[in-house]
Amino acid sequence: MGWQRGTGWNTAANWSTNSVPLAGGSVIIPGGLVNYPVLANAVTINSLDMRDGSQLDFNGFNMTITTVAGDFIYIFGAELNNSNAATDVVINISSLPGYHSYVRNTTVNDNITFNISGTTNFYEADNAATGNHFTGNTTFNYAGTGNLYLSQADTSLYDGNLTVSRTAAGITDAFNGGAVIGGNFSFTNNTAGNSLFGTISRRTSIGGTVNIAINNTTPGSFELIRLVNQTGGGNISVQNSIGFDVRNDTLLLNTFNISGYQGADFGYLYYNDITGNLTITESAVHIAG
């Protein structure tokens, strides 16, 4: 069902079907309208399609999106607002394999938390010229087995802190398109999966501290490439990686510890400017070189 008039989410006449979306509803919010929806309570839907120029005011209420076969989450060229200053935007996402979430060229005018479960992949700024602007603190809590891609193909702006936490195994692949983080960057993964940050062709600039804590239950790859941060006091601890690739970084840290790296991959450490105590120890089962 598509949005077409008014501001009240619970007003049936504001929807193209003349009915308010229920828990199984599919919602389309087009651009080019005079009025856009404002939530009056927490809502649960099956899919969300926000098109170029569209807006949504969360008004202090959470949105839960639980997809079924054929449902995707598209937030393209949109604006996410929150008129309740005492709260943050919270979006809970759970979807099936192959039915993913995409956020492109969108502005979020508040702190936002994405709570992600199921088997969905989440793609942020995954095409050229699709970087997003997060004006507050941004949090990704990943409790699903899908992959997380941040600033995948274009540079996104995070004015506040960026926090990513994985509690289920999966790939985290961030900053291939570069990123500008005004606050602190924090990443935690005590499960399994590759943890990949940065690329040689794009710089990721971080105004605050860097805190990375990885303890792989099953060995996974670790890359940290061309990250630059401006505030000391953070710590990086990586345990049980498959080799490692750390290069072209400029980091202010208290400690940087890579321990128990293993597998058939080499450990690469070069062209870095690291301020802080650095410790690297390989596992007894490391077989490269």
Side-chain angles (χ1 to χ4, degrees):
M1 59 185 64
W3 186 262
Q4 54 187 14
R5 63 177 70 88
T7 59
W9 181 281
N10 291 336
T11 302
N14 290 337
W15 297 95
S16 61
T17 57
N18 202 37
S19 62
V20 177
L22 301 176
S26 296
V27 170
I28 298 172
I29 305 176
L33 302 179
V34 175
N35 296 305
Y36 287 96
V38 179
L39 298 187
N41 50 263
V43 300
T44 299
I45 55 178
N46 273 5
S47 70
L48 177 65
D49 182 356
M50 293 190 68
R51 299 179 178 177
D52 191 34
S54 65
Q55 300 178 32
L56 175 61
D57 185 346
F58 285 77
N59 192 30
F61 297 103
N62 295 358
M63 174 174 281
T64 297
I65 308 172
T66 304
T67 68
V68 296
D71 290 331
F72 290 85
I73 299 168
Y74 298 114
I75 304 177
F76 295 172
E79 188 172 310
L80 306 184
N81 300 310
N82 186 15
S83 55
N84 187 335
T87 63
D88 297 337
V89 174
V90 177
I91 303 178
N92 306 308
I93 298 173
S94 178
S95 65
L96 302 174
Y99 300 98
H100 305 311
S101 304
Y102 301 85
V103 180
R104 300 171 180 164
N105 194 30
T106 288
T107 299
V108 181
N109 291 312
D110 196 10
N111 300 330
I112 188 168
T113 296
F114 295 93
N115 296 313
I116 304 168
S117 59
T119 54
T120 183
N121 290 345
F122 190 103
Y123 296 88
E124 189 262 320
D126 60 305
N127 284 342
T130 61
N132 299 291
H133 186 189
F134 300 88
T135 66
N137 297 325
T138 305
T139 301
F140 292 89
N141 295 319
Y142 225 102
T145 57
N147 301 329
L148 175 62
Y149 300 95
L150 299 179
S151 295
Q152 186 185 19
D154 194 33
T155 301
S156 285
L157 307 179
Y158 301 87
D159 291 352
N161 301 326
L162 174 59
T163 302
V164 180
S165 175
R166 289 205 75 111
T167 54
I171 295 172
T172 303
D173 190 346
F175 314 143
N176 281 334
V180 178
I181 303 169
N184 304 322
F185 172 58
S186 175
F187 176 75
T188 304
N189 181 12
N190 292 317
T191 57
N194 298 337
S195 301
L196 314 172
F197 304 101
T199 182
I200 197 64
S201 62
R202 299 283 187 93
R203 187 176 76 164
T204 295
S205 175
I206 302 167
T209 60
V210 173
N211 285 279
I212 296 174
I214 300 170
N215 187 356
N216 290 321
T217 53
T218 301
S221 298
F222 173 68
E223 295 180 1
L224 194 71
I225 301 173
R226 209 177 172 194
L227 268 65
V228 178
N229 84 302
Q230 305 297 324
T231 303
N235 300 280
I236 297 177
S237 176
V238 180
Q239 300 180 55
N240 305 319
S241 63
I242 300 174
F244 61 88
D245 189 354
V246 177
R247 52 195 166 103
N248 295 88
D249 299 309
T250 302
L251 299 169
L252 299 176
L253 302 166
N254 284 339
T255 61
F256 193 157
N257 178 36
I258 298 176
S259 61
Y261 73 93
Q262 55 197 274
D265 291 354
F266 290 96
Y268 294 97
L269 179 73
Y270 56 92
Y271 299 132
N272 298 291
D273 184 355
I274 300 172
T275 301
N277 295 320
L278 175 65
T279 304
I280 299 175
T281 56
E282 66 178 351
S283 167
V285 298
H286 182 231
I287 59 175

